[in-house]
C-alpha cells in the first residue's frame, strides 16, 4: 500500500489537499512536522495516512472526549481499528482496550493528555512499538494560546519515557507567532517541517451587524434561510435559554447546548443536531469542539466572543464541506462588558502561580481588544482575521460584508483633533463616555464630576451627534491613535499615532470610511445571488439520496455525514454513478464505504434515471 492507495481506498479521496501531501511525506520520511491549518482543512488525514503506513502504533493526543469519540467512530466506519482511552471509559472498557492495544489490534490510539503518564499507559508504551505521537490541538501547550492546558506538558515527559523516540507531529488551527514558537520549543520538535497553510476559508462569508434588536435580526435571518443547518452561539447559558425559547416559539426545529444541562440532554441534543433532526443549534462555546458536521451553512454569534481565536474557530464550523457558509456576528455594547466580566471571573488555574495568572489575564484583555476592533473595522474582515494570525492577504476579498459595502472616505480631521486634544488636556484619565460628553458639550454627571466644562476643548464638537462621535472614536481606537487601559474602568490614552497627529498639527489628516447606505442593499443582494448558485445537476435526486442517507444514519446510530458528505451526494446527483467504477470516481467514496453503502445508492440512482428517462 502507498499513501495514494490509503487515501483512496480507506478514506475515499482522490487527491490530497493543499499541504496534506507534503506533511504526509515528511512524516513518512521520519521527520517531525508542525501543521498550522484552519479548521476544516483536513488535518486528520495528515497523520492518519502515515499512521496506517507506519509499522508501529500511532498515539494521537487530543484534549476533548467528544473529539476523540467522533474521530474514532469515523475511523471505525472507514474500516480502521482504532480506540480511545480517556476518562469516559468504564474500568472494564479501559482494561479491554488496553488488552487489545497490547495485542497490537489497534493502529491508532487516541489518548487524553492526562492519561499518558499513568502507570498502565506507560507500561503499554514500553511493550508495543510506537511509530508516531500526533498532538492534536497543539496550541493547548502554550500559555500564549487561548486554551492553555497544563496537562499538555505531560506529553513531553511521556515521549522521554519511550524506548525509542517516535516521529512527532503537531497540529493546530490557531497559532499566533508566539504560540507557534511555544509548540516548537516545548514539544522539542527536531528539525521539523513547518507548514502554515492559508488560514483563509474562501467559501466563508463574514459580516458584523449591530442590530438594535438581536432577536428580531435573528428571526429575520432564519426566515430567509429556512431549511439550512446552523449554529447560534451565545455568551451565557441564560442567553442560550432565552434565544432557544424564542426560536421554539417561532416554530423552528432547534435544540440547545450548554454546560448546565444534564449529560443525557446534551448528548441527545447534539445528536439531534448532527442527524439533522433539529438542524438549528443554540449553544454556548461548550458546544462544537470536534463536531465535524460538514453541512453547517451558517454560524451566527449572538454575542461577541472573547477573542479572534475563539471566533474564527467557532465560525469555521460553517461550510466544512467547502460549500458556501455565512459567519455573522451580532455586536452589542454589552458584549464587551460581559467578556471583561468573564475574564475577571475565570476560574483560576491551580497549577499556575499568581504572576503567571496575572500575565494570562492581561493577554486575555489584549485579545478582547482585538476582537472588539474586528467589530468596528471598515476594512476587509477576512483580511483583519488573517493579519491577526500573521498572514497577509489582499485588502479586498470580495466575500465579506465590508468588501461588499461601498464606503466613502470622510474627512474627520477636526473631530479627531477635538477628541485627542480633550483626552490629552484632561490628563488621559477618563473613559470614552466622559470624553465624548465633554467634546459634545453635554451637561452630564460625568462632565460635572470631573469638571470638564472648564476644559478649553469642552463643546468644540457640539454640532456632531453622539453616535457619530462614538463612531469616530472607535475608528481612532482601531487605528491606534488612542488605546484603552484594561480593567474595570478603562481609560483613554494617546497612542503613538495620536501623539504624532497632534504634533503635526495642520498637515495631518484623518479619514474615516463610512458606508454609503443606499448602495449597500443592492450590492448585498447581488452577492447573495452569486453565492446561492448550486451546481447540482439533479436537485431532486440529491433530495432522495439525502433522505435515504438520513434513514440509514438513524438505523446505524451514526451521523449522516459519516456515511457520505453533502458534497459526495451532490457529485452523485450530478454524475449519476451506477457501478463500482463510477462510484469510486466520486469524491468521498472509498472501497470500504463502497462495500457498506455503495450498492444502495447505486440502486436509487438507477431508479431515478429510469423514472425520469434520463440518457446518460
Ligand atoms: P480539521 O481537523 O483540519 O478541522 P478534518 O480533518 O476534520 O479537518 O477534515 C475536514 C473535512 O475535510 C472532513 O470532512 C474530511 O473528511 C474532509 N477532507 C479531508 N481531507 C480531504 C481530501 N484530501 N479530499 C477531500 N476531503 C477531505
Ligand atoms: Zn473582505
Amino acid at each position: 500500500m502507498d499513501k495514494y492507495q490509503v487515501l483512496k481506498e480507506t478514506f475515499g479521496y482522490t487527491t490530497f489537499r493543499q499541504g496534506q501531501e507534503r506533511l504526509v511525506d515528511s512524516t513518512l520520511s521520519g521527520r517531525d512536522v508542525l501543521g498550522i491549518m484552519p479548521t476544516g482543512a483536513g488535518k486528520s488525514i495528515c497523520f492518519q495516512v502515515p499512521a496506517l503506513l507506519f509499522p508501529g502504533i500511532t498515539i494521537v493526543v487530543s484534549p476533548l472526549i467528544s473529539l476523540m469519540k467522533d474521530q474514532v467512530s469515523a475511523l471505525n466506519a472507514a474500516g480502521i481499528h482504532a480506540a480511545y482511552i480517556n476518562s469516559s471509559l468504564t474500568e472494564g472498557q479501559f482494561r479491554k482496550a488496553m488488552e487489545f492495544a497490547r495485542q497490537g489490534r489497534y493502529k491508532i490510539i487516541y489518548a487524553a493528555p492526562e492519561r499518558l503518564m499513568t502507570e498502565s499507559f506507560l507500561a503499554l508504551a514500553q511493550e508495543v512499538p510506537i511509530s508516531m505521537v500526533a498532538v492534536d490541538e497543539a496550541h493547548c501547550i502554550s500559555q500564549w494560546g487561548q486554551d492553555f492546558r497544563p496537562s499538555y506538558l505531560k506529553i513531553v515527559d511521556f515521549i522521554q519515557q519511550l524506548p525509542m523516540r517516535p516521529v512527532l507531529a503537531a497540529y493546530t488551527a490557531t497559532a499566533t507567532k508566539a504560540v507557534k514558537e511555544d509548540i516548537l520549543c516545548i514539544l522539542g520538535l527536531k528539525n521539523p517541517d513547518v507548514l502554515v497553510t492559508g488560514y483563509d476559508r474562501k467559501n466563508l462569508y463574514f459580516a458584523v451587524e449591530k442590530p438594535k434588536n438581536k432577536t428580531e435580526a435573528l428571526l429575520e435571518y432564519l426566515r430567509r434561510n429556512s431549511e439550512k443547518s446552523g449554529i447560534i452561539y451565545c455568551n451565557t447559558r441564560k442567553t442560550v435559554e432565552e434565544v432557544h425559547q424564542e426560536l421554539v416559539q417561532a416554530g423552528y426545529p432547534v435544540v440547545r447546548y450548554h454546560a448546565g444541562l444534564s449529560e443525557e440532554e446534551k448528548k441527545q441534543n447534539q445528536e439531534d443536531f448532527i442527524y439533522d433532526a433539529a438542524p438549528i443549534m443554540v449553544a454556548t462555546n461548550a458546544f462544537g469542539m470536534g463536531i465535524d458536521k460538514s453541512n453547517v451553512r451558517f454560524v451566527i454569534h449572538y454575542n461577541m466572543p472573547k477573542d479572534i481565536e475563539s471566533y474564527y474557530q467557532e465560525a469555521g464550523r460553517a461550510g466544512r464541506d467547502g460549500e458556501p457558509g455565512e459567519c455573522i456576528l451580532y455586536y452589542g455594547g454589552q458584549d464587551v462588558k460581559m467578556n471583561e466580566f468573564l475574564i475577571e471571573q475565570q476560574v483560576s488555574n491551580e497549577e499556575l502561580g499568581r504572576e503567571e495568572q496575572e500575565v494570562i489575564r492581561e493577554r486575555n484583555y489584549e485579545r478582547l481588544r482585538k476582537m472588539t476592533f474586528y467589530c468596528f473595522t471598515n476594512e476587509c474582515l477576512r483580511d483583519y482575521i488573517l493579519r491577526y494570525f500573521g498572514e497577509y492577504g489582499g485588502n479586498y476579498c470580495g466575500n465579506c460584508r465590508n468588501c461588499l459595502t461601498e464606503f466613502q472616505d470622510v474627512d474627520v480631521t477636526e473631530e479627531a483633533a477635538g477628541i485627542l486634544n480633550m483626552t490629552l488636556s484632561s490628563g488621559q484619565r477618563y473613559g470614552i463616555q466622559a470624553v465624548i460628553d465633554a467634546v459634545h458639550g453635554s451637561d452630564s454627571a460625568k462632565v460635572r464630576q470631573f469638571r470638564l466644562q472648564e476644559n478649553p476643548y469642552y463643546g468644540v464638537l457640539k454640532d456632531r451627534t453622539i453616535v457619530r462621535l462614538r463612531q469616530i472614536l472607535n475608528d481612532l481606537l482601531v487605528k491606534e491613535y488612542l488605546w484603552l487601559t484594561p480593567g474595570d474602568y478603562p481609560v483613554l490614552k494617546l497612542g503613538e499615532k495620536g501623539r504624532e497627529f497632534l504634533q503635526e498639527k495642520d498637515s495631518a489628516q484623518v479619514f474615516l470610511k463610512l458606508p454609503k447606505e443606499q448602495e449597500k442593499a443592492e450590492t448585498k443582494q447581488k452577492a447573495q445571488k452569486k453565492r446561492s448558485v448550486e451546481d447540482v445537476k439533479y436537485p431532486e435526486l440529491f433530495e432522495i439520496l439525502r433522505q435515504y442517507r438520513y434513514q440509514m444514519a438513524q438505523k446505524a446510530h451514526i451521523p449522516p455525514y459519516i456515511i457520505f458528505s453533502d458534497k459526495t451526494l451532490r457529485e452523485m446527483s450530478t454524475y449519476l454513478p451506477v457501478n463500482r467504477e463510477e462510484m469510486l470516481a466520486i469524491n468521498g467514496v472509498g472501497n470500504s464505504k463502497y462495500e457498506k453503502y455503495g450498492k444502495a445508492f447505486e440502486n436509487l440512482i438507477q431508479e431515478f434515471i429510469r423514472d425520469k428517462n434520463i440518457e446518460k
Side-chain angles (χ1 to χ4, degrees), residues 112-375:
E114 58 277 2
R115 285 276 147 167
L116 296 174
M117 292 300 280
T118 57
E119 222 168 282
S120 49
F121 202 81
L122 277 174
L124 171 73
Q126 303 293 330
E127 255 178 71
V128 296
I130 294 176
S131 293
M132 166 166 59
V133 173
V135 182
D136 208 1
E137 311 289 343
H139 60 272
C140 293
I141 208 163
S142 170
Q143 278 188 32
W144 285 99
Q146 79 282 20
D147 193 14
F148 174 52
R149 288 166 190 255
S151 61
Y152 256 59
L153 299 169
K154 295 207 168 95
I155 300 170
V156 184
D157 302 330
F158 173 70
I159 291 163
Q160 277 164 359
Q161 300 275 328
L162 297 178
M164 288 253 286
R165 185 182 183 279
V167 177
L168 297 187
Y171 288 93
T172 174
T174 57
T176 54
K177 195 157 165 279
V179 171
K180 179 175 146 194
E181 269 156 26
D182 267 4
I183 296 173
L184 290 170
C185 191
I186 299 173
L187 272 181
L189 298 182
K190 278 197 197 137
N191 177 33
D193 184 5
V194 180
L195 180 90
V196 184
T197 63
Y199 272 86
D200 195 3
R201 300 271 313 277
K202 290 195 170 49
N203 59 322
L204 298 185
Y205 163 84
F206 290 93
V208 177
E209 287 175 18
K210 302 184 179 88
K212 281 211 182 66
N213 184 326
K214 290 186 181 184
T215 318
E216 266 171 31
L218 179 63
L219 288 170
E220 171 56 29
Y221 182 87
L222 294 178
R223 266 195 291 279
R224 280 186 286 112
N225 291 280
S226 57
E227 317 263 304
K228 290 186 187 164
S229 176
I231 308 173
I232 297 144
Y233 278 111
C234 308
N235 264 3
T236 62
R237 297 177 194 184
K238 187 162 162 274
T239 318
V240 169
E241 290 297 339
E242 286 164 6
V243 173
H244 177 253
Q245 194 52 38
E246 288 281 352
L247 298 191
V248 167
Q249 271 168 12
Y252 285 100
V254 55
V255 283
R256 60 191 169 159
Y257 192 104
H258 59 67
L261 302 176
S262 68
E263 285 307 318
E264 212 169 306
E265 185 176 356
K266 277 194 285 193
K267 187 159 163 261
Q268 184 62 47
N269 293 351
Q270 177 168 321
E271 281 181 6
D272 285 350
F273 175 66
I274 288 174
Y275 295 134
D276 274 334
I280 302 173
M281 168 62 87
V282 184
T284 59
N285 62 4
F287 176 76
M289 260 280 209
I291 295 203
D292 175 19
K293 184 177 199 284
S294 57
N295 68 339
V296 175
R297 295 272 68 89
F298 61 84
V299 172
I300 292 180
H301 279 76
Y302 199 82
N303 301 106
M304 179 182 76
K306 65 187 183 359
D307 49 38
I308 298 274
E309 285 93 333
S310 314
Y311 181 63
Y312 202 46
Q313 193 157 44
E314 287 156 18
R317 296 193 175 118
R320 308 250 306 193
D321 51 9
E323 305 276 310
E326 299 201 334
C327 311
I328 300 169
L329 194 163
Y330 290 170
Y331 174 87
Q334 290 305 310
D335 291 344
V336 179
K337 284 208 186 71
M338 183 44 118
N339 275 299
E340 285 175 349
F341 174 76
L342 293 175
I343 290 176
E344 291 302 324
Q345 292 297 302
Q346 221 165 40
V347 257
S348 44
N349 194 329
E350 285 156 20
E351 294 173 58
L352 299 176
R354 258 200 60 177
E355 249 170 66
E356 274 176 307
Q357 299 212 14
E358 187 53 32
V359 170
I360 287 177
R361 192 171 145 269
E362 263 171 42
R363 287 174 190 166
N364 287 343
Y365 271 109
E366 177 60 21
R367 278 201 294 268
L368 175 59
R369 207 164 67 93
K370 295 265 168 64
M371 182 73 240
T372 313
F373 287 174
Y374 173 82
C375 301

Side-chain angles (χ1 to χ4, degrees), residues 22-34 54 132 165 167-169 190-194:
R22 186 176 119 189
L23 291 173
V24 167
D25 286 344
S26 290
T27 309
L28 285 173
S29 77
R31 193 169 163 194
D32 289 353
V33 299
L34 168 59
F54 275 139
M132 166 166 59
R165 185 182 183 279
V167 177
L168 297 187
K190 278 197 197 137
N191 177 33
D193 184 5
V194 180

